[in-house]
Amino acid sequence: MSSFTDAPSNVLAEAQERIQQDLLTALDAFFLPEPLKGAVYHAVMLGGKRVRPALCYAVADIRPGVNAAAVRRAAVAVELIHCYSLAHDDLPCMDNDLLRRGQPTCHVAFGESTALLAGDILQSMAFEILGSRLFDQSTAVDASIVLKQVQILATATSKMVCGQVMDLQAEGQHVSQEVLENIHRNKTGALISAAIMMAAVAVFEGTDQAIPELRKFGQSIGLAFQVQDDILDIVAETEVLGKTAGKDQQADKSTYPALMGLEQAKAYAKELHDQAFASLVSFGDSARMLNSIAVFLLSRKS
Amino acid sequence: MSSFTDAPSNVLAEAQERIQQDLLTALDAFFLPEPLKGAVYHAVMLGGKRVRPALCYAVADIRPGVNAAAVRRAAVAVELIHCYSLAHDDLPCMDNDLLRRGQPTCHVAFGESTALLAGDILQSMAFEILGSRLFDQSTAVDASIVLKQVQILATATSKMVCGQVMDLQAEGQHVSQEVLENIHRNKTGALISAAIMMAAVAVFEGTDQAIPELRKFGQSIGLAFQVQDDILDIVAETEVLGKTAGKDQQADKSTYPALMGLEQAKAYAKELHDQAFASLVSFGDSARMLNSIAVFLLSRKS
């Protein structure tokens, strides 16, 4: 583990405060009719760990101040995509979840059709924000950078949906580790990597040799996040998790602990994190925020 | 009515052939796991009038060959957004439609969760395609043009969802013409305008004075399209329409014929079309394809 870390919980708390403010500013910039507006705010503002925006900020922290508005827009956009996926995942025809972050899910609070449409519009809002002048204090960001961000986010969003389908198809089946990794690289890894890469193309302007290292970091941390999620689903209490624990087992889903045993899964999560830390070595102290977030993700309890 | 028209049905048939081919090329460029792949192809390749792509091609026909790949990508992207909206509209929690274009709707054929995810991925695929090099034979299109297209499409998609919500809210209510127009400018008009404007920024490179005239054309034709749809819902047979006729009345929806009477609604559709034709006068013969499509839309029977 790198020594270049700030206190992980402080770093994340600060990122959470920043993104909460920027999400609110972004949502307030839209005209949304009721009850859609209520559902959109419910889906977005309830909270959550805000890991993806925090990763955007942490990458930007390597080169503070470069294309800062593009980084802030990317952080908002990637979180809106994540929130859309949760609203749709929770729907009765999907996981039929009633509770998320200790609150009624979007369709429970606002009805099924409104929750569906809230998810739909969150996706297009994300792309609107990426191409907008939101948070732009001075000069406009180069269009080619923003277009790269659009490409990264759109591709990751498609991959996320493919991963969800692959995950549903794998239910009740005994899949290999290779198949499971392919599911998770799409389902959760792609959007986590996208958060990192959208910030990376903004702050390194798409040309720097830092990009491949950050891509490797994103891939490792994205997979580690899912392995950790599977572990937490088994070991965490429902109360701490804020959602129903043990759901994966109930649904007979393929998970890392089911595939390799709990202890092996923990070791694998650690190994992936070590790979992630290794990708940051060349950045030295400038990547301390990224290091901190990686530490947080490994040690999180929910 | 302008004299600068080709035979409307031929023009549309040719556009339909072109978009069918390009849609297939575009879909084939993606890796999609089953059953998602089947659902996506079902939602997209069943057919339909392809009005939005035809409008893209018709705008491009004013200046043939300029940024042709960007126009083709825009045509595919706007149709994918339209197809996503239909797949979600048909879902049980929305209109619960079993039939579309004479075929089982996406959720009837593939199940509800797959239809939901097919709609979801069609949206992100649309943005992927806009920013891609698909159909690019030679030089890349300027990033600022593509980014404008992304903005236009994302904004229109958000408006479409807002329009759907306003439409659902207006069910069973007697709304004013102003309110009804606001619903339709969002629900259907925005995406029709977007088709025109995405092609316009590509072929006029965002600077030409043609843009305001085409914007006016888009607004008039977009609203006319919806008025005509409302009229057809009353007068057309289910067989010709390929979907259940009279559904609006059953659902107690606000429509133009309900608001102003059938004959007045017909006169209003004609008036909006005349406004649309007037916006094209300055283009002379170069807008003959746009004229033809406008004629088709006014005279269509389904």
Side-chain angles (χ1 to χ4, degrees), chain A residues 153-172:
Chain A
L153 188 62
T155 303
T157 304
S158 294
K159 283 188 177 177
M160 175 186 76
V161 177
C162 289
Q164 285 169 311
V165 171
M166 292 188 261
D167 196 28
L168 288 170
Q169 290 302 105
E171 266 180 33

Side-chain angles (χ1 to χ4, degrees), chain B residues 238-295:
Chain B
T238 298
E239 199 182 333
V240 175
L241 213 55
K243 58 183 179 183
T244 316
K247 271 197 77 92
D248 291 349
Q249 278 181 298
Q250 285 167 28
D252 199 11
K253 285 201 176 180
S254 296
T255 67
Y256 289 94
L259 192 73
M260 50 175 66
L262 185 59
E263 289 313 308
Q264 271 297 97
K266 284 181 179 175
Y268 186 48
K270 176 76 173 61
E271 185 191 320
L272 288 166
H273 272 88
D274 286 344
Q275 281 176 23
F277 292 130
S279 310
L280 298 182
V281 166
S282 64
F283 298 105
D285 190 44
S286 69
R288 63 189 176 282
M289 189 174 167
L290 264 185
N291 267 299
S292 292
I293 290 172
V295 170

